[in-house]
Amino acid sequence: MYADLLINLAFVISFLSITGQLFRNQPMNTTYKGQFLGGVLFGLLGITLIFFSIKVTDTTIMDLRNFAVIIAILYGGWVSGVTAGIMIIIARIFINGVNISSITAVITIILLVMVCSYISRLNITIVKKFIYSIASNIIIVFSAFTFLVKDTEKLMTVLTYYGAISLFGGVIMFYISEYVARSNENYRFLKESAERDFLTGLNNVRQFDAIWNTHVQNAIDREERLSILLIDIDHFKHINDTYGHPVGDIVLKELGKVLIQSTRSFDTVSRNGGEEFSIILPDCPNSQARDIAERVRKAVEKHTFNVSSSQSITITVSIGVATYPDTDRDINSLIEQADEYLYKAKRTGRNKVCSAD
């Protein structure tokens, strides 16, 4: 009996490792779609465990399917738990038919979903949630077996084996689940750090290059226009020297928000380094790009940057605009051309937009 339960446990552990890869980029409980998908996956795990169950009596079986529900709820929420529970209930009835054992199994799953859903919402650590959930499962399952198994000797054997494997397996499952969750969390953090500017949250120069190359290829393949705005804060060194670098950081973060608010939803705003920003404008002719650049310039000029509870400042920006193929038929030199127009704007008075005309 121990060997069969250990097989169940091995299935759960292997499944946790594989499922962790599926939710590597986004936690299971982030969206309803993710919660439902997680519920389906853990439901399939529970169904698989039923096929490897241990026959206790002619109609009563024992396995670790309930752990699939517990993990689904603790890491995916009640939606995942209900989805997994419904799948397991349907499979249990379909595989073994309608009898007193299957009805008891249905009640067991329903009670477990209700109890674990309540536990998952408690303001306690994940360790305590796991302990309370496993303890609740043991109590519910023990009650079910006590009702179904009339042979006292066999009942004690079943309870002993199930209790031991639940405690032993629960510790292992918790360790594996938390290891996968923490590993995925670290992966997402490192991935975001590699793609996002740490200060503004905008795309960093590495991500800008990747997105830019994609837009360049799309513009060539689809014969579309592609515009780029290069933006530089006027006299930013004076801001840092006068107010200090913490104030400069506040200005950079706030400017990032202003740029996003002043552009189209599908444009790409990046911080390319220091006080330099860029905006990629796909399928955008030069005339429209200049209008967007002017809108950005005015928005920045009018914006009040609150650098402390009692002090605020204003800034201006210079912008260079280049468009393929309107201002440059060589798309590979478009950024260099926008950079030339940016420095022309700075040389000729700042706080202005410069382009081909």
Side-chain angles (χ1 to χ4, degrees):
M1 189 175 292
Y2 267 131
D4 294 320
L5 286 174
L6 286 172
I7 291 174
N8 271 235
L9 181 59
F11 268 111
V12 176
I13 294 172
S14 301
F15 182 85
L16 289 174
S17 301
I18 296 172
T19 306
Q21 297 301 309
L22 298 177
F23 293 99
R24 196 175 186 183
N25 292 312
Q26 189 176 48
M28 186 168 65
N29 62 352
T30 303
T31 63
Y32 282 115
K33 181 180 178 180
Q35 293 174 25
F36 177 74
L37 175 61
V40 170
L41 292 173
F42 279 99
L44 292 175
L45 171 63
I47 293 171
T48 302
L49 294 176
I50 292 176
F51 282 104
F52 289 88
S53 59
I54 304 163
K55 193 171 184 180
V56 178
T57 67
D58 291 338
T59 58
T60 304
I61 57 177
M62 177 175 62
D63 51 63
L64 299 182
R65 81 189 83 139
N66 288 9
F67 281 91
V69 176
I70 292 174
I71 298 172
I73 292 175
L74 293 184
Y75 291 93
W78 69 269
V79 173
S80 297
V82 170
T83 303
I86 290 174
M87 291 179 62
I88 293 172
I89 287 172
I90 294 173
R92 176 67 170 85
I93 295 175
F94 180 79
I95 294 172
N96 299 102
V98 179
N99 50 55
I100 189 63
S101 293
S102 60
I103 293 174
T104 305
V106 169
I107 296 173
T108 298
I109 292 292
I110 293 174
L111 287 175
L112 185 65
V113 169
M114 293 173 60
V115 172
C116 290
S117 295
Y118 171 76
I119 292 173
S120 68
R121 291 195 295 268
L122 295 177
N123 187 25
I124 55 178
T125 64
I126 186 65
V127 178
K128 291 183 178 179
K129 289 179 181 180
F130 226 99
I131 293 173
Y132 293 166
S133 296
I134 292 175
S136 300
N137 176 61
I138 291 175
I139 293 172
I140 293 172
V141 172
F142 275 22
S143 300
F145 281 134
T146 301
F147 172 72
L148 293 171
V149 181
K150 304 305 180 182
D151 186 327
T152 303
E153 184 178 347
K154 180 177 288 188
L155 173 61
M156 294 306 299
T157 302
V158 169
L159 296 184
T160 300
Y161 277 75
Y162 189 86
I165 205 67
S166 294
L167 295 174
F168 171 72
V171 173
I172 296 179
M173 288 181 208
F174 171 75
Y175 175 79
I176 297 295
S177 299
E178 278 299 287
Y179 175 79
V180 171
R182 298 290 79 79
S183 297
N184 287 348
E185 187 177 323
N186 291 334
Y187 169 80
R188 288 189 290 269
F189 174 77
L190 292 174
K191 183 181 179 182
E192 184 175 350
S193 299
E195 298 175 351
R196 295 289 175 181
D197 174 59
F198 73 97
L199 183 64
T200 63
L202 301 175
N203 297 302
N204 60 18
V205 66
R206 180 183 299 176
Q207 185 68 358
F208 165 82
D209 288 338
I211 296 173
W212 174 251
N213 291 334
T214 300
H215 282 300
V216 165
Q217 193 59 50
N218 289 341
I220 295 173
D221 294 342
R222 302 172 186 174
E223 297 183 351
E224 294 179 346
R225 291 176 172 85
L226 176 63
S227 295
I228 178 77
L229 310 185
L230 293 185
I231 304 164
D232 192 87
I233 302 175
D234 297 329
H235 304 295
F236 186 67
K237 184 177 184 301
H238 175 71
I239 295 174
N240 280 332
D241 292 343
T242 304
Y243 302 99
H245 287 279
V247 170
D249 290 346
I250 293 174
V251 169
L252 291 172
K253 287 191 288 187
E254 191 68 18
L255 176 59
K257 298 177 183 177
V258 175
L259 297 181
I260 292 175
Q261 293 167 358
S262 305
T263 53
R264 304 172 300 178
S265 60
F266 50 88
D267 296 332
T268 302
V269 181
S270 306
R271 182 188 177 200
N272 292 49
E275 67 268 31
E276 292 188 2
F277 294 77
S278 66
I279 303 176
I280 301 173
L281 307 172
D283 194 20
C284 183
N286 187 252
S287 58
Q288 185 181 0
R290 293 199 309 270
D291 291 340
I292 293 174
E294 185 62 23
R295 184 166 73 235
V296 169
R297 186 196 66 78
K298 289 180 179 179
V300 175
E301 185 180 32
K302 294 178 181 179
H303 188 79
T304 300
F305 292 80
N306 297 312
V307 296
S308 70
S309 59
S310 60
Q311 189 177 28
S312 61
I313 62 174
T314 57
I315 66 170
T316 60
V317 294
S318 298
I319 305 175
V321 184
T323 303
Y324 168 82
D326 298 0
T327 66
D328 193 341
R329 300 197 65 83
D330 182 7
I331 197 168
N332 294 315
S333 64
L334 200 61
I335 294 178
E336 288 79 2
Q337 187 183 71
D339 197 48
E340 291 178 8
Y341 293 137
L342 168 61
Y343 281 97
K344 179 181 178 181
K346 297 182 80 67
R347 288 194 307 268
T348 57
R350 303 177 191 270
N351 190 24
K352 63 167 60 176
V353 175
C354 280
S355 189
D357 60 345

